Amino acid sequence: MEKEIPLYQMIYNKLVNRILLGLYPKGYRLSSVEKIRERFGVGYTSIRRALRLLHQEGFIRLEERRRPVVIFDAEEPRGQALRQRVFLSRRQAHLDCYRAIPCLIPGLAVMGARRCGPRTLEALEVLCSQPEELLTCRADLFTLAYAWLALVVRQADSALADDLFLQIRGFDDLRFLLMPREELVPGEAEAALLILRHWTDLLRREQWDDLHTLVSVFCWRAVGDLERSFAALDGGEAVRPVEFRWYVRQLPAPLYQKIAWDLLRTAYLEGMEPGTCFPSEAALMERYGVAVVTVRGALALLNSLGAAQTVNGVGTLLTGAPARGEIGDFLRESRESLEILTGCGQALAAVAAPRLSWGEREALRAGAVDYRCRPGLLLWLLRRLAEAVRSQALEKVLEQLEVRCIFGLYLRGLPGSPEQRQYAEDLFRRASDCLAFLEAGDADAFARRFGQLCREAWEGARERLTPEEN
C-alpha cells in the first residue's frame, strides 16, 4: 500500500494550482474553512495547516473572522519569482509523471473511442475545422489535442478515467502558463489539424490499433517537449523539490478503506483460501503504522461487506462469500479500474519491453510460474512492466487501480472457486506463449499479444463487476 503525502500538502497543491492558473486572481476570497472542509472531505486541522502554508508562501493573506484573500500577483516581480520557484520545485515530479503519459493516455483514448456515437463524431469534426490562424503557439496545439482527447475519454462514462485524464492535462495547463511562449513554424498549425482529422477518421472506421499508435506518438512528443523545455530553463537558485502524485481520485481514499483494499489485494495475490485468518490487530497496526481504531475500521468494513468474518477468540477470517449490503459504488470503481488496466496493457508493454534486460526477461518467465495455480498473474506482470518504466507516478496509479479491482473481485466472490483455479492455469499457458515473444526479442509482437491477452482475460470479469440496478 502506497505511502500518502500529507492531506494538507495535497490541499495546498490544489489551491496553489488554481491561483497560478488565474482561477483565483488577486483579491479573490477563498471559501470558508467549513466550505473547503466539505469539498475535500478532510478535517479542520488539514485545512488550517494548508492555509497557513499558503499564507507563509505569500499566496494568500489570513484575516481574522474573514475568508482568506489571494494576494499573489503574477505581474509583480515578487509574484513572478514565487511562481518560478514553485514550478522549479516540481521539475522532477513533472518529469516522473510525464513518463507515465504514454502508458496511460492511449488506453484511455481507445477506451472512450469504442463508445463514441454520431454526435461525438460531429463534435470532433467541428473541433478539427477551426481556422488555422487561431493556433499561434505551441501551447495552442497541445490544448487542441487535449480537447480532442478529453471529448473522447468522456465517452467511456468512467469517473475514474475522467478524473485521471484531467489531472494529466492539468500538468500542461500549468506548464504552458509558466514557460516562455513558443511560436509555431509555418505549416505547423495546418499539420496539427490534419493529424486530428486523421485521428477522427480512424475513430469513425473503428481502427483502434492505429488510433492507439498515433495517440502514443503524440504522448511521446509531449514527453520530449517537456524535457526540452526543462533543459532550456535556467534553474537559478536551488529549490527544495516537492512530492507531487497522481491519484485515481482527486483525493486518496480514507486510510481504513485503503487498508481493507490492501488486505484483500494481498489475499488475492497470495491465493489465500476462504477460512484463512488475517493477521492479528497488533500485527496489522505494526504493518501499516496506524492506530487500532483504523485497523478495526478496515476489518469492520470487510465484515459489513461479507468479505470477512470476525470470530471472538479466533480472529478475522477471509470468507470468500458473496457480498452483502451497499456495494454498487465499490463494484463500479472496480469495473472502471479494470477497464483502465485493460486499456493500458498494450501501451505499457510497448514502453517497457525495450527497457528490459535479458535477465529481467528471464525473471518474468520464472516469476510467472508462481501464479500458475492462483489468480493475479496479469496484475503481477503489469507491476513488473511498470517498474521497468521507472515512473513512481505510474506505479502508484497502477497500485490504486489494482486494489480497487481486486476489492470488487472479492465482493463478487470470484477467487477461490475451482473455475477460478482452472482459469489461472489457462491464463498461465497463454501468458507463457506471450512471454516467449519477449524472450525472442520481438517487443512489438509481445506488446500486441499482451494487450490482446488483457482484453480477453478480463472481459468476463468486467461483466461480473457490473453493479446490479435496483
Side-chain angles (χ1 to χ4, degrees), residues 133-199:
E133 54 267 24
L134 295 179
L135 306 174
T136 60
C137 64
R138 186 63 46 78
D140 292 339
L141 300 187
F142 278 91
T143 299
L144 181 62
Y146 279 124
W148 192 99
L149 290 167
L151 185 57
V152 171
V153 171
R154 198 176 303 128
Q155 307 313 305
D157 193 25
S158 166
L160 297 185
D162 284 346
D163 196 84
L164 184 56
F165 180 82
L166 287 174
Q167 292 179 73
I168 294 171
R169 178 182 176 176
F171 269 51
D172 265 347
D173 287 343
L174 186 59
R175 171 165 73 103
F176 287 123
L177 178 68
L178 303 182
M179 296 294 291
R181 177 186 174 94
E182 294 183 74
E183 301 294 336
L184 299 178
V185 300
E188 194 171 2
E190 179 184 6
L193 289 170
L194 285 173
I195 289 172
L196 290 186
R197 292 183 192 120
H198 187 45
W199 287 8

Side-chain angles (χ1 to χ4, degrees), residues 262-279 287 307 316-320 373-375 410 415-417 421:
D262 198 62
L263 288 173
L264 288 189
R265 171 179 177 265
T266 302
Y268 182 87
L269 296 177
E270 293 182 356
M272 284 176 56
E273 296 289 337
T276 305
C277 195
F278 285 109
R287 177 193 296 183
T316 301
L317 309 177
L318 176 70
T319 64
C373 295
R374 58 191 175 96
Y410 259 107
S417 64
R421 287 191 288 270

Side-chain angles (χ1 to χ4, degrees), residues 73-350:
D73 188 346
E75 302 301 322
E76 297 176 352
R78 185 174 181 274
Q80 293 173 2
L82 177 58
R83 188 169 67 176
Q84 181 86 338
R85 183 171 60 78
V86 170
F87 189 56
L88 288 173
S89 71
R90 296 180 179 183
R91 181 198 301 250
Q92 293 305 316
H94 273 61
L95 289 171
D96 176 75
C97 290
Y98 259 71
R99 296 188 189 103
I101 284 179
C103 302
L104 294 171
I105 283 187
L108 294 178
V110 173
M111 182 176 161
R114 292 176 181 274
R115 295 176 171 87
C116 284
R119 289 188 178 180
T120 305
L121 281 168
E122 290 177 6
L124 293 174
E125 289 170 354
V126 171
L127 190 66
C128 299
S129 301
Q130 61 181 280
E132 295 175 21
E133 54 267 24
L134 295 179
L135 306 174
T136 60
C137 64
R138 186 63 46 78
D140 292 339
L141 300 187
F142 278 91
T143 299
L144 181 62
Y146 279 124
W148 192 99
L149 290 167
L151 185 57
V152 171
V153 171
R154 198 176 303 128
Q155 307 313 305
D157 193 25
S158 166
L160 297 185
D162 284 346
D163 196 84
L164 184 56
F165 180 82
L166 287 174
Q167 292 179 73
I168 294 171
R169 178 182 176 176
F171 269 51
D172 265 347
D173 287 343
L174 186 59
R175 171 165 73 103
F176 287 123
L177 178 68
L178 303 182
M179 296 294 291
R181 177 186 174 94
E182 294 183 74
E183 301 294 336
L184 299 178
V185 300
E188 194 171 2
E190 179 184 6
L193 289 170
L194 285 173
I195 289 172
L196 290 186
R197 292 183 192 120
H198 187 45
W199 287 8
T200 305
D201 190 48
L202 291 175
L203 190 153
R204 182 186 295 105
R205 290 184 280 155
E206 299 185 359
Q207 294 181 328
W208 313 128
D209 288 342
D210 290 341
L211 179 62
H212 188 284
T213 298
L214 291 183
V215 173
S216 296
V217 172
F218 163 78
C219 293
W220 280 114
R221 182 183 177 187
V223 174
D225 190 77
L226 180 75
E227 291 174 341
R228 287 191 300 272
S229 297
F230 275 138
L233 189 64
D234 181 12
E237 61 178 305
V239 294
R240 181 178 61 85
V242 300
E243 186 175 5
F244 201 81
R245 183 177 298 163
W246 286 345
Y247 284 90
V248 176
R249 283 290 193 193
Q250 289 283 353
L251 285 176
L255 186 54
Y256 76 91
Q257 189 180 91
K258 288 178 63 61
I259 292 174
W261 282 344
D262 198 62
L263 288 173
L264 288 189
R265 171 179 177 265
T266 302
Y268 182 87
L269 296 177
E270 293 182 356
M272 284 176 56
E273 296 289 337
T276 305
C277 195
F278 285 109
S280 65
E281 288 183 354
L284 292 177
M285 289 168 60
E286 182 177 358
R287 177 193 296 183
Y288 295 109
V290 297
V292 64
V293 65
T294 305
V295 169
R296 288 175 178 171
L299 297 177
L301 175 60
L302 296 180
N303 274 269
S304 68
L305 296 172
Q309 182 178 7
T310 299
V311 179
N312 291 335
V314 177
T316 301
L317 309 177
L318 176 70
T319 64
R324 59 176 178 265
E326 297 295 330
I327 64 172
D329 290 341
F330 291 116
L331 293 181
R332 190 173 295 105
E333 284 205 349
S334 182
R335 177 189 169 92
E336 292 177 4
S337 297
L338 193 55
E339 286 193 279
I340 297 173
L341 288 170
T342 301
C344 76
Q346 181 174 341
L348 176 57

